[in-house]
Amino acid sequence: MVLPRRRGGHNHHPCPRRAVLPAAALLLLFLLAAVTLLYVSPPPLSDHPALAYSRRRSPHALLNSSGGGSLVEPGRREISRVPKGGWSATDGLWGSKLASKFYGCSNSSSKFLDSGVMTHPDRYLMIVTSGGLNQQRTGIIDAVVAARILNATLVVPKLDQTSFWKDASDFAEIFNADWFISFLSKDVRIVKELPKIGGKLWAPHRMRVPRKCTQRCYLNRVLPALVKKHVVRLTKFDYRLANRLDSDLQKLRCRVNYHALRFTDPIQEMGEKIIQRMRERSTYFIALHLRFEPDMLAFSGCYYGGGEKEKRELGVIRKRWKTLHASNPEKERRHGRCPLTPEEVGLMLRALGYRKNVHIYVASGDIYGGAKTLAPLKALFPNLHTKETVTSKDELAPFSKYSSRMAALDFIVCDGSDAFVTNNNGNMAKILAGRRRYLGHKRTIRPNARKLYSLFLSRGNMSWDAFSSKVHMAQKGFMGEPKELRPGRGEFHENPTTCICENTDPKTPTKPNPRSEQGLINGTEGRKAITEPTVANHTNEELVGSSAEEDDASVEKEDDTSAEKEDDTSEEKEEIADPEAEDDALVRPDDPELEEVLSD
């Protein structure tokens, strides 16, 4: 049976069509919503727009392209996806769980004779240090050891007053000279001034030793001059002693560094007052050696997105050092040779688990770009402090005109902090890292800049949890844990393994260093005399010529060969991290013209 055709045959089955159209529209809307969710950033988890990172921009593009150091306006940047809280606080944030098994031990052995037996009455060693406070500190430490090697009386070292830092302070205005002399009296005889001999003041014989001069080097090159002239003055004394010495001399280094070198009472009291005020604000606090001053950025050769103004300003500073070669900013950053920006330091700390309410003491000079550069860090950690903010102008007045005394205050606070974070591997960072290892492996964090660089670039493409996990992995071996560095690796001031003992019996409580600051006696019972070897009679200052450098080169070659052998087996020992392999080359101690600016 054929049904009759309705008028307007194009209008068949009107009801079903009305049902299909809404379904298609809903499906289309659903697809559009799904696509939108894939490409739109997640809801902001941070409450401050200054934390923004562009997903496809370099994380270093934090500065205004038309102004060196001027941050991009917060409203123009994407909100960063940093959680407000952070991971649950653990013991690992404020100290190592393994620290209780280790303690500082710098007592001398029975073979180390008393200075009264060893010191020759007609030998005097004078030292002129070089650089800023912490570079000079290394020179003072090595001067004591050099005097011991030569069996000479040490005249209290003269500090460099003409370098980049322009500080006229002498030794006794920074360090407690009386304590220095008395504490080391059994190790080395020390006097404040060169005495008159036979009613006359002897004129010192001036000379310079090669860098990393070994014990044999001092005996071959300095001792003959000392025997003949009686008074030797070693100039520009920085890095002039080998990194590797015998155990007793290394332990002497530790006694000088960690016990004998005390700051003067006014400096020490002011530093402790700052620590006390930080503790009044929070139970725990972080000390951050930010090192983001113009001189450091200029030296690094890195670029921070400040456009032509930044390049011009930092370029002028770079011209101060003729030995600085042209750099490739991107290559330097890839190799981990650029200081992290304040924002990157903050992101690393938040990723490690430090919460937003943590208080941070910033030890630094004038930050390049000022408050705008610090704004992202302050957004991540609002509780930022400096010595200027926790003290009054009147309190700082006795120190503010002296760069070394101001640096000493920062040193004390960083040393007393619960966690110390360094943004470069200069002298202050290395000395504090070694000191904190010796005094209980207090938490010490050095950014693994090489690995963190790629993480900062790709952070926008991963979740916060994934980013945090990868930061934890990158920082393994850079957190100040016991045995992070193999014995002999790194500079001794940073890795004083000879002076750190391990308690292998879990039932026996760890003992502190038996030679406390009150126990000044080394003890001489049963000690055997150590005679000086026969040496050639070279007395001219020209001794520091090719032959001296050959000795120095042979030592470095030996060290390098040893390091290469260690590197060959490092992959087999994955449980021991090797931060030296991720070399932070901000400090190049073989270039004397650059050391002064980097000494802090």
Side-chain angles (χ1 to χ4, degrees):
M1 179 177 177
V2 179
L3 294 175
R5 179 178 296 177
R6 293 176 179 266
R7 292 182 180 179
H10 59 281
N11 202 22
H12 285 300
H13 311 294
C15 290
R17 287 198 176 187
R18 281 196 297 270
V20 171
L21 286 173
L26 287 173
L27 179 61
L28 180 60
L29 287 172
F30 176 81
L31 291 174
L32 287 173
V35 172
T36 302
L37 287 173
L38 288 174
Y39 287 94
V40 174
S41 298
L45 297 177
S46 172
D47 56 355
H48 199 298
L51 301 178
Y53 258 117
S54 172
R55 285 174 171 269
R56 294 179 176 84
R57 289 178 64 192
S58 164
H60 299 275
L62 304 177
L63 310 177
N64 191 318
S65 61
S66 62
S70 298
L71 289 174
V72 175
E73 290 300 319
R76 297 172 58 190
R77 302 171 59 196
E78 178 191 349
I79 302 297
S80 179
R81 299 172 297 160
V82 182
K84 291 182 179 180
W87 288 8
S88 298
T90 62
D91 293 339
L93 290 176
W94 301 111
S96 170
K97 294 180 181 179
L98 302 175
S100 60
K101 298 181 179 179
F102 299 85
Y103 59 96
C105 52
S106 58
N107 276 4
S108 58
S109 72
S110 60
K111 297 184 297 181
F112 201 72
L113 282 175
D114 188 284
S115 63
V117 178
M118 298 298 295
T119 306
H120 286 249
D122 58 350
R123 295 182 189 175
Y124 289 87
L125 182 66
M126 304 180 74
I127 296 292
V128 181
T129 61
S130 180
L133 174 67
N134 296 291
Q135 184 172 322
Q136 293 187 88
R137 188 184 184 104
T138 64
I140 294 167
I141 294 165
D142 291 346
V144 174
V145 179
R148 175 72 194 200
I149 292 171
L150 298 168
N151 294 328
T153 296
L154 176 68
V155 180
V156 168
K158 179 177 175 57
L159 302 187
D160 183 357
Q161 300 175 338
T162 61
S163 71
F164 173 87
W165 301 100
K166 301 290 188 298
D167 191 320
S169 302
D170 60 28
F171 185 97
E173 290 174 312
I174 296 177
F175 300 104
N176 187 327
D178 291 332
W179 174 262
F180 178 73
I181 293 170
S182 64
F183 186 86
L184 295 169
S185 60
K186 300 297 181 180
D187 298 311
V188 174
R189 180 171 177 258
I190 305 174
V191 295
K192 292 184 179 180
E193 296 179 352
L194 183 67
K196 291 183 179 181
I197 304 175
K200 296 181 180 180
L201 190 64
W202 287 356
H205 175 73
R206 296 169 61 91
M207 62 185 299
R208 189 180 297 176
V209 293
R211 300 208 156 205
K212 300 182 181 179
C213 193
T214 63
Q215 185 174 355
R216 179 169 64 93
C217 169
Y218 275 93
L219 294 174
N220 286 342
R221 304 182 185 285
V222 183
L223 182 58
L226 196 57
V227 170
K228 183 176 181 179
K229 301 292 185 179
H230 304 294
V231 182
V232 168
R233 180 185 176 109
L234 299 180
T235 60
K236 196 167 176 56
F237 197 78
D238 52 355
Y239 312 107
R240 303 290 164 175
L241 187 62
N243 192 46
R244 300 182 185 183
L245 301 170
D246 67 49
S247 177
D248 268 327
L249 292 179
Q250 296 288 54
K251 286 180 179 292
L252 176 56
R253 265 178 164 162
C254 294
R255 291 197 293 278
V256 180
N257 195 1
Y258 308 132
H259 299 285
L261 275 178
R262 277 184 176 178
F263 293 114
T264 59
D265 289 345
I267 294 174
Q268 191 67 36
E269 290 168 5
M270 189 72 251
E272 290 173 359
K273 185 178 291 185
I274 295 173
I275 293 175
Q276 180 184 353
R277 291 177 183 175
M278 289 298 298
R279 298 234 177 267
E280 290 171 355
R281 290 165 166 80
S282 178
T283 304
Y284 301 102
F285 76 93
I286 295 172
L288 168 60
H289 191 214
L290 191 54
R291 208 61 176 99
F292 207 72
E293 299 94 338
D295 58 284
M296 174 55 73
L297 302 188
F299 169 76
S300 71
C302 302
Y303 176 65
Y304 291 90
E308 290 303 318
K309 184 179 179 182
E310 176 190 323
K311 294 177 181 178
R312 183 174 64 254
E313 290 174 346
L314 300 184
V316 170
I317 299 175
R318 283 179 67 83
K319 291 179 181 178
R320 295 177 188 171
W321 306 290
K322 297 178 181 179
T323 55
L324 270 182
H325 55 78
S327 64
N328 181 329
E330 189 62 28
K331 181 179 179 181
E332 296 296 305
R333 187 167 291 121
R334 273 200 318 273
H335 290 175
R337 294 170 182 163
C338 297
L340 269 59
T341 66
E343 181 172 20
E344 289 168 343
V345 172
L347 286 170
M348 176 193 71
L349 292 176
R350 291 295 296 274
L352 288 173
Y354 292 97
R355 294 178 180 272
K356 185 175 183 177
N357 61 353
V358 168
H359 287 250
I360 297 181
Y361 176 88
V362 180
S364 186
D366 294 331
I367 302 298
Y368 183 66
K372 287 188 176 181
T373 303
L374 278 175
L377 175 61
K378 191 171 180 63
L380 286 161
F381 293 97
N383 300 309
L384 291 185
H385 312 277
T386 65
K387 53 184 171 292
E388 289 81 7
T389 63
V390 297
T391 62
S392 66
K393 287 186 178 180
D394 290 340
E395 287 177 315
L396 279 184
F399 316 98
S400 58
K401 295 181 180 179
Y402 304 93
S403 61
S404 290
R405 300 181 205 185
M406 293 288 274
L409 294 178
D410 279 341
F411 186 98
I412 293 170
V413 181
C414 289
D415 185 36
S417 65
D418 301 287
F420 172 59
V421 182
T422 174
N423 197 22
N424 83 314
N425 205 26
N427 289 306
M428 179 171 169
K430 288 179 178 178
I431 291 175
L432 278 169
R435 182 179 179 86
R436 291 171 70 88
R437 285 187 171 103
Y438 180 83
L439 297 175
H441 284 87
K442 294 188 287 185
R443 174 61 67 225
T444 304
I445 302 172
R446 180 163 69 97
N448 184 349
R450 182 182 297 185
K451 289 186 177 179
L452 290 176
Y453 165 67
S454 60
L455 288 180
F456 289 134
L457 281 180
S458 57
R459 189 179 72 83
N461 299 321
M462 66 181 80
S463 69
W464 175 257
D465 286 344
F467 175 72
S468 297
S469 178
K470 289 180 181 294
V471 169
H472 275 268
M473 292 297 294
Q475 285 299 119
K476 186 178 180 181
F478 289 75
M479 299 293 289
E481 289 285 332
K483 296 186 176 182
E484 269 187 354
L485 288 171
R486 293 192 294 272
R489 295 306 304 272
E491 292 186 14
F492 184 75
H493 299 302
E494 180 184 14
N495 187 31
T497 50
T498 308
C499 305
I500 297 176
C501 295
E502 182 177 2
N503 181 11
T504 55
D505 183 1
K507 297 181 181 179
T508 304
T510 299
K511 298 179 180 179
N513 182 23
R515 188 178 188 270
S516 68
E517 293 189 351
Q518 300 303 322
L520 303 181
I521 301 176
N522 290 328
T524 58
E525 295 82 357
R527 295 183 177 183
K528 298 179 181 179
I530 302 173
T531 57
E532 295 170 353
T534 303
V535 296
N537 187 21
H538 298 298
T539 59
N540 295 329
E541 190 164 351
E542 285 73 14
L543 281 171
V544 192
S546 58
S547 59
E549 292 176 1
E550 286 172 7
D551 269 1
D552 197 28
S554 66
V555 173
E556 293 200 38
K557 184 177 180 181
E558 181 181 331
D559 289 349
D560 290 342
T561 303
S562 176
E564 287 174 5
K565 290 179 180 179
E566 290 178 350
D567 286 341
D568 290 340
T569 60
S570 62
E571 293 183 1
E572 300 174 7
K573 301 180 180 180
E574 294 182 357
E575 71 278 5
I576 301 179
D578 185 9
E580 285 296 307
E582 304 289 345
D583 181 35
D584 183 347
L586 288 175
V587 176
R588 303 169 189 176
D590 56 344
D591 192 339
E593 292 187 33
L594 300 176
E595 286 164 1
E596 293 178 356
V597 72
L598 300 174
S599 60
D600 281 344

